[in-house]
Short mmCIF file of all heavy atoms in Angstrom, two decimals:
data_model
loop_
_atom_site.label_atom_id
_atom_site.label_comp_id
_atom_site.label_asym_id
_atom_site.label_seq_id
_atom_site.Cartn_x
_atom_site.Cartn_y
_atom_site.Cartn_z
N MET A 44 -18.89 -21.97 -0.69
CA MET A 44 -17.58 -22.45 -1.05
C MET A 44 -16.60 -22.02 0.05
O MET A 44 -16.60 -20.87 0.47
CB MET A 44 -17.17 -21.87 -2.40
CG MET A 44 -15.77 -22.26 -2.79
SD MET A 44 -15.40 -22.14 -4.53
CE MET A 44 -15.12 -20.41 -4.70
N LEU A 45 -15.78 -22.94 0.50
CA LEU A 45 -14.80 -22.66 1.55
C LEU A 45 -13.40 -22.53 0.96
O LEU A 45 -13.02 -23.29 0.08
CB LEU A 45 -14.82 -23.77 2.60
CG LEU A 45 -16.12 -23.98 3.36
CD1 LEU A 45 -15.98 -25.16 4.31
CD2 LEU A 45 -16.52 -22.74 4.12
N GLU A 46 -12.67 -21.57 1.47
CA GLU A 46 -11.26 -21.36 1.12
C GLU A 46 -10.47 -21.23 2.42
O GLU A 46 -11.02 -20.85 3.44
CB GLU A 46 -11.09 -20.07 0.31
CG GLU A 46 -11.68 -20.09 -1.06
CD GLU A 46 -10.82 -20.85 -2.06
OE1 GLU A 46 -9.62 -21.06 -1.80
OE2 GLU A 46 -11.37 -21.22 -3.11
N THR A 47 -9.19 -21.53 2.36
CA THR A 47 -8.33 -21.30 3.52
C THR A 47 -7.30 -20.24 3.16
O THR A 47 -6.87 -20.12 2.01
CB THR A 47 -7.60 -22.59 3.96
OG1 THR A 47 -6.86 -23.10 2.86
CG2 THR A 47 -8.58 -23.63 4.44
N GLU A 48 -6.95 -19.44 4.16
CA GLU A 48 -5.99 -18.36 3.96
C GLU A 48 -5.13 -18.24 5.21
O GLU A 48 -5.64 -18.28 6.33
CB GLU A 48 -6.72 -17.04 3.70
CG GLU A 48 -5.85 -15.83 3.59
CD GLU A 48 -5.03 -15.78 2.30
OE1 GLU A 48 -5.22 -16.63 1.42
OE2 GLU A 48 -4.20 -14.88 2.18
N TYR A 49 -3.83 -18.11 5.03
CA TYR A 49 -2.94 -17.87 6.15
C TYR A 49 -2.86 -16.37 6.40
O TYR A 49 -2.91 -15.57 5.48
CB TYR A 49 -1.55 -18.43 5.86
CG TYR A 49 -1.52 -19.93 5.90
CD1 TYR A 49 -1.65 -20.68 4.75
CD2 TYR A 49 -1.39 -20.61 7.11
CE1 TYR A 49 -1.64 -22.07 4.78
CE2 TYR A 49 -1.39 -22.00 7.15
CZ TYR A 49 -1.51 -22.72 5.99
OH TYR A 49 -1.51 -24.08 6.04
N TYR A 50 -2.77 -16.00 7.66
CA TYR A 50 -2.66 -14.60 8.05
C TYR A 50 -1.74 -14.51 9.25
O TYR A 50 -1.51 -15.49 9.95
CB TYR A 50 -4.04 -14.01 8.41
CG TYR A 50 -4.65 -14.63 9.64
CD1 TYR A 50 -4.43 -14.06 10.90
CD2 TYR A 50 -5.41 -15.79 9.58
CE1 TYR A 50 -4.95 -14.63 12.04
CE2 TYR A 50 -5.93 -16.36 10.72
CZ TYR A 50 -5.71 -15.78 11.94
OH TYR A 50 -6.23 -16.35 13.07
N SER A 51 -1.19 -13.33 9.48
CA SER A 51 -0.36 -13.07 10.66
C SER A 51 -1.17 -12.26 11.65
O SER A 51 -1.80 -11.27 11.28
CB SER A 51 0.91 -12.31 10.27
OG SER A 51 1.72 -13.10 9.46
N CYS A 52 -1.12 -12.66 12.91
CA CYS A 52 -1.83 -11.93 13.96
C CYS A 52 -1.28 -10.51 14.03
O CYS A 52 -0.06 -10.32 14.09
CB CYS A 52 -1.66 -12.63 15.30
SG CYS A 52 -2.34 -11.70 16.70
N PRO A 53 -2.16 -9.50 14.01
CA PRO A 53 -1.67 -8.11 14.09
C PRO A 53 -1.09 -7.73 15.45
O PRO A 53 -0.48 -6.68 15.60
CB PRO A 53 -2.90 -7.28 13.75
CG PRO A 53 -4.06 -8.15 14.09
CD PRO A 53 -3.60 -9.55 13.86
N TYR A 54 -1.28 -8.58 16.45
CA TYR A 54 -0.74 -8.32 17.79
C TYR A 54 0.60 -9.04 18.01
O TYR A 54 1.61 -8.40 18.28
CB TYR A 54 -1.72 -8.79 18.87
CG TYR A 54 -3.04 -8.09 18.86
CD1 TYR A 54 -4.15 -8.69 18.30
CD2 TYR A 54 -3.19 -6.83 19.43
CE1 TYR A 54 -5.38 -8.06 18.29
CE2 TYR A 54 -4.41 -6.18 19.42
CZ TYR A 54 -5.51 -6.81 18.85
OH TYR A 54 -6.72 -6.17 18.85
N CYS A 55 0.60 -10.36 17.87
CA CYS A 55 1.81 -11.14 18.20
C CYS A 55 2.61 -11.57 16.98
O CYS A 55 3.73 -12.05 17.12
CB CYS A 55 1.44 -12.35 19.06
SG CYS A 55 0.51 -13.65 18.18
N GLY A 56 2.03 -11.45 15.78
CA GLY A 56 2.76 -11.78 14.56
C GLY A 56 2.76 -13.26 14.19
O GLY A 56 3.30 -13.62 13.15
N GLU A 57 2.17 -14.11 15.02
CA GLU A 57 2.14 -15.53 14.72
C GLU A 57 1.24 -15.82 13.52
O GLU A 57 0.18 -15.22 13.37
CB GLU A 57 1.65 -16.34 15.93
CG GLU A 57 2.64 -16.41 17.05
CD GLU A 57 3.89 -17.19 16.70
OE1 GLU A 57 3.80 -18.24 16.03
OE2 GLU A 57 4.98 -16.74 17.11
N GLU A 58 1.66 -16.76 12.68
CA GLU A 58 0.88 -17.13 11.52
C GLU A 58 -0.16 -18.17 11.90
O GLU A 58 0.13 -19.12 12.63
CB GLU A 58 1.77 -17.67 10.41
CG GLU A 58 1.04 -17.87 9.11
CD GLU A 58 1.97 -18.20 7.97
OE1 GLU A 58 2.62 -17.29 7.45
OE2 GLU A 58 2.04 -19.40 7.63
N SER A 59 -1.39 -17.99 11.40
CA SER A 59 -2.49 -18.92 11.64
C SER A 59 -3.26 -19.09 10.34
O SER A 59 -3.01 -18.39 9.36
CB SER A 59 -3.43 -18.40 12.73
OG SER A 59 -2.76 -18.30 13.96
N GLU A 60 -4.22 -19.99 10.36
CA GLU A 60 -5.01 -20.27 9.18
C GLU A 60 -6.47 -19.93 9.44
O GLU A 60 -7.02 -20.29 10.48
CB GLU A 60 -4.88 -21.75 8.83
CG GLU A 60 -5.61 -22.16 7.58
CD GLU A 60 -5.41 -23.63 7.28
OE1 GLU A 60 -5.95 -24.46 8.04
OE2 GLU A 60 -4.72 -23.94 6.31
N ALA A 61 -7.10 -19.25 8.50
CA ALA A 61 -8.52 -18.93 8.58
C ALA A 61 -9.26 -19.73 7.51
O ALA A 61 -8.77 -19.89 6.39
CB ALA A 61 -8.75 -17.44 8.37
N VAL A 62 -10.44 -20.22 7.85
CA VAL A 62 -11.31 -20.87 6.88
C VAL A 62 -12.38 -19.85 6.51
O VAL A 62 -13.10 -19.35 7.37
CB VAL A 62 -11.95 -22.16 7.45
CG1 VAL A 62 -12.89 -22.77 6.44
CG2 VAL A 62 -10.87 -23.15 7.84
N LEU A 63 -12.47 -19.52 5.22
CA LEU A 63 -13.36 -18.48 4.74
C LEU A 63 -14.55 -19.09 4.00
O LEU A 63 -14.37 -19.94 3.13
CB LEU A 63 -12.60 -17.55 3.78
CG LEU A 63 -11.27 -17.02 4.28
CD1 LEU A 63 -10.58 -16.25 3.16
CD2 LEU A 63 -11.46 -16.16 5.52
N ASP A 64 -15.76 -18.64 4.34
CA ASP A 64 -16.97 -19.08 3.66
C ASP A 64 -17.35 -18.00 2.65
O ASP A 64 -17.92 -16.97 3.01
CB ASP A 64 -18.09 -19.30 4.67
CG ASP A 64 -19.37 -19.80 4.02
OD1 ASP A 64 -19.39 -19.98 2.78
OD2 ASP A 64 -20.35 -20.01 4.75
N LEU A 65 -17.04 -18.24 1.38
CA LEU A 65 -17.27 -17.24 0.34
C LEU A 65 -18.74 -17.13 -0.05
O LEU A 65 -19.14 -16.16 -0.69
CB LEU A 65 -16.43 -17.55 -0.89
CG LEU A 65 -14.92 -17.64 -0.68
CD1 LEU A 65 -14.22 -17.87 -2.01
CD2 LEU A 65 -14.37 -16.41 0.02
N SER A 66 -19.56 -18.11 0.35
CA SER A 66 -20.98 -18.08 -0.04
C SER A 66 -21.77 -17.04 0.73
O SER A 66 -22.88 -16.70 0.34
CB SER A 66 -21.61 -19.46 0.17
OG SER A 66 -21.64 -19.80 1.55
N GLY A 67 -21.22 -16.48 1.81
CA GLY A 67 -21.93 -15.50 2.62
C GLY A 67 -21.76 -14.06 2.18
O GLY A 67 -22.28 -13.17 2.82
N GLY A 68 -21.00 -13.82 1.12
CA GLY A 68 -20.77 -12.45 0.66
C GLY A 68 -19.79 -11.73 1.56
O GLY A 68 -19.04 -12.34 2.32
N ASP A 69 -19.80 -10.39 1.48
CA ASP A 69 -18.89 -9.59 2.30
C ASP A 69 -19.21 -9.78 3.78
O ASP A 69 -20.39 -9.84 4.15
CB ASP A 69 -19.02 -8.11 1.94
CG ASP A 69 -18.50 -7.80 0.54
OD1 ASP A 69 -17.84 -8.66 -0.06
OD2 ASP A 69 -18.77 -6.68 0.07
N GLN A 70 -18.17 -9.89 4.60
CA GLN A 70 -18.35 -10.16 6.03
C GLN A 70 -17.30 -9.42 6.85
O GLN A 70 -16.18 -9.24 6.39
CB GLN A 70 -18.20 -11.65 6.32
CG GLN A 70 -19.08 -12.55 5.52
CD GLN A 70 -18.66 -13.99 5.64
OE1 GLN A 70 -18.31 -14.46 6.72
NE2 GLN A 70 -18.67 -14.71 4.53
N THR A 71 -17.69 -9.04 8.06
CA THR A 71 -16.75 -8.55 9.06
C THR A 71 -17.07 -9.29 10.34
O THR A 71 -18.23 -9.34 10.75
CB THR A 71 -16.89 -7.03 9.28
OG1 THR A 71 -16.61 -6.36 8.05
CG2 THR A 71 -15.93 -6.54 10.34
N TYR A 72 -16.06 -9.92 10.93
CA TYR A 72 -16.27 -10.68 12.16
C TYR A 72 -15.01 -10.65 13.01
O TYR A 72 -13.95 -10.27 12.54
CB TYR A 72 -16.71 -12.11 11.86
CG TYR A 72 -15.75 -12.89 10.99
CD1 TYR A 72 -14.79 -13.72 11.56
CD2 TYR A 72 -15.81 -12.82 9.60
CE1 TYR A 72 -13.91 -14.44 10.77
CE2 TYR A 72 -14.94 -13.53 8.81
CZ TYR A 72 -14.00 -14.34 9.39
OH TYR A 72 -13.12 -15.03 8.61
N ILE A 73 -15.15 -11.04 14.28
CA ILE A 73 -14.03 -11.03 15.22
C ILE A 73 -13.78 -12.45 15.71
O ILE A 73 -14.71 -13.16 16.07
CB ILE A 73 -14.34 -10.11 16.42
CG1 ILE A 73 -14.51 -8.66 15.94
CG2 ILE A 73 -13.23 -10.20 17.47
CD1 ILE A 73 -14.96 -7.71 17.01
N GLU A 74 -12.51 -12.84 15.70
CA GLU A 74 -12.07 -14.12 16.28
C GLU A 74 -10.83 -13.84 17.10
O GLU A 74 -10.00 -13.00 16.74
CB GLU A 74 -11.74 -15.14 15.19
CG GLU A 74 -12.94 -15.69 14.48
CD GLU A 74 -12.57 -16.82 13.52
OE1 GLU A 74 -11.45 -17.37 13.62
OE2 GLU A 74 -13.41 -17.14 12.68
N ASP A 75 -10.68 -14.58 18.19
CA ASP A 75 -9.49 -14.44 19.02
C ASP A 75 -8.31 -15.17 18.38
O ASP A 75 -8.48 -16.24 17.79
CB ASP A 75 -9.73 -15.02 20.41
CG ASP A 75 -10.69 -14.19 21.23
OD1 ASP A 75 -10.90 -13.01 20.88
OD2 ASP A 75 -11.22 -14.72 22.22
N CYS A 76 -7.13 -14.59 18.52
CA CYS A 76 -5.91 -15.23 18.04
C CYS A 76 -5.72 -16.54 18.80
O CYS A 76 -5.84 -16.56 20.04
CB CYS A 76 -4.72 -14.30 18.28
SG CYS A 76 -3.12 -15.08 17.93
N PRO A 77 -5.42 -17.64 18.11
CA PRO A 77 -5.21 -18.92 18.81
C PRO A 77 -3.95 -18.94 19.66
O PRO A 77 -3.78 -19.83 20.49
CB PRO A 77 -5.15 -19.94 17.69
CG PRO A 77 -4.81 -19.17 16.47
CD PRO A 77 -5.33 -17.78 16.67
N VAL A 78 -3.05 -17.97 19.49
CA VAL A 78 -1.79 -17.93 20.24
C VAL A 78 -1.88 -16.96 21.42
O VAL A 78 -1.70 -17.34 22.57
CB VAL A 78 -0.61 -17.57 19.32
CG1 VAL A 78 0.68 -17.47 20.11
CG2 VAL A 78 -0.48 -18.58 18.20
N CYS A 79 -2.21 -15.68 21.14
CA CYS A 79 -2.20 -14.68 22.21
C CYS A 79 -3.59 -14.34 22.74
O CYS A 79 -3.72 -13.57 23.69
CB CYS A 79 -1.49 -13.41 21.73
SG CYS A 79 -2.40 -12.43 20.50
N CYS A 80 -4.62 -14.88 22.12
CA CYS A 80 -6.02 -14.73 22.55
C CYS A 80 -6.58 -13.31 22.45
O CYS A 80 -7.63 -13.03 23.02
CB CYS A 80 -6.21 -15.27 23.97
SG CYS A 80 -5.81 -17.00 24.12
N ARG A 81 -5.93 -12.43 21.73
CA ARG A 81 -6.46 -11.07 21.55
C ARG A 81 -7.41 -11.05 20.36
O ARG A 81 -7.25 -11.84 19.41
CB ARG A 81 -5.31 -10.09 21.37
CG ARG A 81 -4.47 -10.05 22.67
CD ARG A 81 -3.37 -9.08 22.62
NE ARG A 81 -3.91 -7.73 22.73
CZ ARG A 81 -3.15 -6.65 22.66
NH1 ARG A 81 -1.85 -6.75 22.50
NH2 ARG A 81 -3.69 -5.46 22.78
N PRO A 82 -8.41 -10.17 20.36
CA PRO A 82 -9.42 -10.16 19.30
C PRO A 82 -8.90 -9.57 17.99
O PRO A 82 -8.36 -8.47 17.96
CB PRO A 82 -10.53 -9.29 19.89
CG PRO A 82 -9.83 -8.40 20.86
CD PRO A 82 -8.69 -9.20 21.42
N ILE A 83 -9.08 -10.33 16.93
CA ILE A 83 -8.68 -9.92 15.58
C ILE A 83 -9.94 -9.65 14.78
O ILE A 83 -10.86 -10.46 14.77
CB ILE A 83 -7.86 -11.01 14.88
CG1 ILE A 83 -6.63 -11.37 15.70
CG2 ILE A 83 -7.47 -10.59 13.47
CD1 ILE A 83 -5.90 -12.60 15.19
N VAL A 84 -9.97 -8.51 14.09
CA VAL A 84 -11.09 -8.18 13.21
C VAL A 84 -10.75 -8.66 11.80
O VAL A 84 -9.73 -8.27 11.22
CB VAL A 84 -11.37 -6.66 13.20
CG1 VAL A 84 -12.52 -6.34 12.26
CG2 VAL A 84 -11.67 -6.17 14.60
N PHE A 85 -11.60 -9.53 11.27
CA PHE A 85 -11.45 -10.05 9.91
C PHE A 85 -12.45 -9.34 9.02
O PHE A 85 -13.64 -9.27 9.35
CB PHE A 85 -11.75 -11.55 9.87
CG PHE A 85 -10.73 -12.40 10.56
CD1 PHE A 85 -10.76 -12.56 11.94
CD2 PHE A 85 -9.76 -13.05 9.83
CE1 PHE A 85 -9.82 -13.35 12.58
CE2 PHE A 85 -8.82 -13.85 10.48
CZ PHE A 85 -8.85 -13.99 11.85
N THR A 86 -11.99 -8.84 7.88
CA THR A 86 -12.87 -8.23 6.90
C THR A 86 -12.68 -8.98 5.59
O THR A 86 -11.59 -8.96 5.01
CB THR A 86 -12.56 -6.73 6.70
OG1 THR A 86 -12.66 -6.08 7.97
CG2 THR A 86 -13.54 -6.10 5.73
N LEU A 87 -13.73 -9.67 5.16
CA LEU A 87 -13.70 -10.46 3.93
C LEU A 87 -14.56 -9.76 2.90
O LEU A 87 -15.73 -9.47 3.15
CB LEU A 87 -14.23 -11.87 4.20
CG LEU A 87 -14.41 -12.77 2.98
CD1 LEU A 87 -13.06 -13.07 2.32
CD2 LEU A 87 -15.11 -14.06 3.38
N GLN A 88 -13.97 -9.49 1.75
CA GLN A 88 -14.71 -8.94 0.62
C GLN A 88 -14.68 -9.98 -0.49
O GLN A 88 -13.60 -10.46 -0.85
CB GLN A 88 -14.09 -7.64 0.14
CG GLN A 88 -14.16 -6.54 1.18
CD GLN A 88 -13.47 -5.27 0.72
OE1 GLN A 88 -12.49 -5.32 -0.01
NE2 GLN A 88 -14.00 -4.14 1.14
N THR A 89 -15.87 -10.34 -1.00
CA THR A 89 -15.93 -11.37 -2.02
C THR A 89 -17.14 -11.20 -2.93
O THR A 89 -18.16 -10.65 -2.52
CB THR A 89 -15.97 -12.78 -1.39
OG1 THR A 89 -15.97 -13.76 -2.42
CG2 THR A 89 -17.18 -12.97 -0.51
N ASP A 90 -16.99 -11.68 -4.14
CA ASP A 90 -18.12 -11.75 -5.06
C ASP A 90 -18.53 -13.22 -5.26
O ASP A 90 -19.29 -13.54 -6.15
CB ASP A 90 -17.78 -11.09 -6.39
CG ASP A 90 -16.63 -11.77 -7.12
OD1 ASP A 90 -16.13 -12.82 -6.65
OD2 ASP A 90 -16.20 -11.25 -8.16
N GLY A 91 -18.00 -14.11 -4.42
CA GLY A 91 -18.28 -15.53 -4.52
C GLY A 91 -17.19 -16.32 -5.21
O GLY A 91 -17.12 -17.53 -5.07
N GLN A 92 -16.34 -15.62 -5.98
CA GLN A 92 -15.23 -16.28 -6.65
C GLN A 92 -13.91 -15.62 -6.28
O GLN A 92 -13.00 -16.27 -5.79
CB GLN A 92 -15.43 -16.27 -8.16
CG GLN A 92 -16.62 -17.09 -8.58
CD GLN A 92 -16.84 -17.03 -10.07
OE1 GLN A 92 -16.19 -16.28 -10.79
NE2 GLN A 92 -17.78 -17.82 -10.55
N GLU A 93 -13.78 -14.35 -6.53
CA GLU A 93 -12.61 -13.58 -6.14
C GLU A 93 -12.82 -13.09 -4.71
O GLU A 93 -13.95 -12.81 -4.32
CB GLU A 93 -12.42 -12.37 -7.06
CG GLU A 93 -12.24 -12.72 -8.52
CD GLU A 93 -10.88 -13.34 -8.80
OE1 GLU A 93 -9.90 -12.88 -8.19
OE2 GLU A 93 -10.82 -14.26 -9.62
N TRP A 94 -11.73 -12.99 -3.94
CA TRP A 94 -11.89 -12.54 -2.55
C TRP A 94 -10.62 -11.87 -2.05
O TRP A 94 -9.54 -12.05 -2.62
CB TRP A 94 -12.30 -13.68 -1.65
CG TRP A 94 -11.43 -14.90 -1.73
CD1 TRP A 94 -11.56 -15.93 -2.61
CD2 TRP A 94 -10.27 -15.18 -0.95
NE1 TRP A 94 -10.56 -16.83 -2.40
CE2 TRP A 94 -9.75 -16.41 -1.40
CE3 TRP A 94 -9.63 -14.51 0.08
CZ2 TRP A 94 -8.63 -16.98 -0.84
CZ3 TRP A 94 -8.50 -15.08 0.64
CH2 TRP A 94 -8.02 -16.31 0.18
N MET A 95 -10.81 -11.07 -0.98
CA MET A 95 -9.70 -10.39 -0.32
C MET A 95 -9.96 -10.41 1.18
O MET A 95 -11.07 -10.10 1.62
CB MET A 95 -9.60 -8.94 -0.81
CG MET A 95 -8.41 -8.21 -0.22
SD MET A 95 -8.30 -6.51 -0.78
CE MET A 95 -9.48 -5.75 0.31
N LEU A 96 -8.98 -10.79 1.96
CA LEU A 96 -9.09 -10.84 3.42
C LEU A 96 -8.16 -9.82 4.03
O LEU A 96 -6.98 -9.75 3.67
CB LEU A 96 -8.74 -12.24 3.94
CG LEU A 96 -8.82 -12.41 5.46
CD1 LEU A 96 -10.26 -12.29 5.94
CD2 LEU A 96 -8.22 -13.73 5.89
N ASP A 97 -8.69 -9.03 4.96
CA ASP A 97 -7.90 -8.06 5.72
C ASP A 97 -8.05 -8.38 7.18
O ASP A 97 -9.17 -8.66 7.64
CB ASP A 97 -8.38 -6.64 5.41
CG ASP A 97 -7.57 -5.60 6.15
OD1 ASP A 97 -6.32 -5.70 6.16
OD2 ASP A 97 -8.17 -4.69 6.75
N VAL A 98 -6.95 -8.39 7.93
CA VAL A 98 -7.01 -8.61 9.39
C VAL A 98 -6.37 -7.42 10.08
O VAL A 98 -5.37 -6.88 9.61
CB VAL A 98 -6.31 -9.92 9.82
CG1 VAL A 98 -7.01 -11.13 9.25
CG2 VAL A 98 -4.85 -9.95 9.42
N HIS A 99 -7.00 -6.97 11.16
CA HIS A 99 -6.45 -5.86 11.91
C HIS A 99 -6.92 -5.89 13.36
O HIS A 99 -7.80 -6.67 13.73
CB HIS A 99 -6.79 -4.52 11.25
CG HIS A 99 -8.24 -4.29 11.03
ND1 HIS A 99 -8.92 -4.75 9.93
CD2 HIS A 99 -9.16 -3.66 11.79
CE1 HIS A 99 -10.20 -4.40 10.03
NE2 HIS A 99 -10.36 -3.75 11.15
N THR A 100 -6.33 -5.03 14.18
CA THR A 100 -6.70 -4.95 15.60
C THR A 100 -8.03 -4.24 15.74
O THR A 100 -8.51 -3.60 14.81
CB THR A 100 -5.64 -4.19 16.41
OG1 THR A 100 -5.63 -2.83 15.98
CG2 THR A 100 -4.25 -4.79 16.25
N GLU A 101 -8.64 -4.33 16.91
CA GLU A 101 -9.91 -3.66 17.16
C GLU A 101 -9.78 -2.15 17.09
O GLU A 101 -10.74 -1.45 16.83
CB GLU A 101 -10.44 -4.02 18.55
CG GLU A 101 -11.06 -5.38 18.63
CD GLU A 101 -11.72 -5.60 19.96
OE1 GLU A 101 -11.04 -5.42 20.99
OE2 GLU A 101 -12.90 -5.96 19.97
N ASN A 102 -8.58 -1.62 17.34
CA ASN A 102 -8.38 -0.18 17.41
C ASN A 102 -8.00 0.47 16.09
O ASN A 102 -7.77 1.67 16.04
CB ASN A 102 -7.33 0.15 18.47
CG ASN A 102 -7.74 -0.33 19.83
OD1 ASN A 102 -8.91 -0.35 20.16
ND2 ASN A 102 -6.78 -0.76 20.63
N GLU A 103 -7.89 -0.31 15.03
CA GLU A 103 -7.50 0.26 13.73
C GLU A 103 -8.73 0.69 12.96
O GLU A 103 -9.78 0.17 13.06
CB GLU A 103 -6.73 -0.77 12.91
CG GLU A 103 -5.36 -1.00 13.45
CD GLU A 103 -4.56 -1.97 12.59
OE1 GLU A 103 -4.62 -1.87 11.36
OE2 GLU A 103 -3.89 -2.82 13.15
#
């Protein structure tokens, strides 16, 4: 199941949209900010229905 979530880049503050695949369970992955190109760490916690997304810099 796919969900979309807006987040703010922890570096430049620009808002972007992430597409989350809830069928994969808990995940941690890195994607570059589409604006400033710095690496953002995404941490998704899910049970397949309820979910929580956290975004932070590599150094946090």
Side-chain angles (χ1 to χ4, degrees):
M44 176 159 79
L45 298 177
E46 291 283 341
T47 57
E48 175 73 5
Y49 288 95
Y50 66 92
S51 294
C52 173
Y54 298 101
C55 70
E57 288 293 320
E58 189 171 282
S59 296
E60 182 179 70
V62 178
L63 310 174
D64 182 0
L65 303 183
S66 65
D69 293 347
Q70 305 167 41
T71 299
Y72 57 95
I73 297 174
E74 288 187 15
D75 290 342
C76 172
V78 178
C79 71
C80 300
R81 295 183 74 183
I83 303 170
V84 178
F85 291 81
T86 303
L87 174 64
Q88 296 177 327
T89 182
D90 62 5
Q92 294 178 354
E93 300 288 322
W94 52 273
M95 183 180 81
L96 180 67
D97 181 46
V98 296
H99 56 274
T100 66
E101 283 187 306
N102 300 327
E103 288 183 42

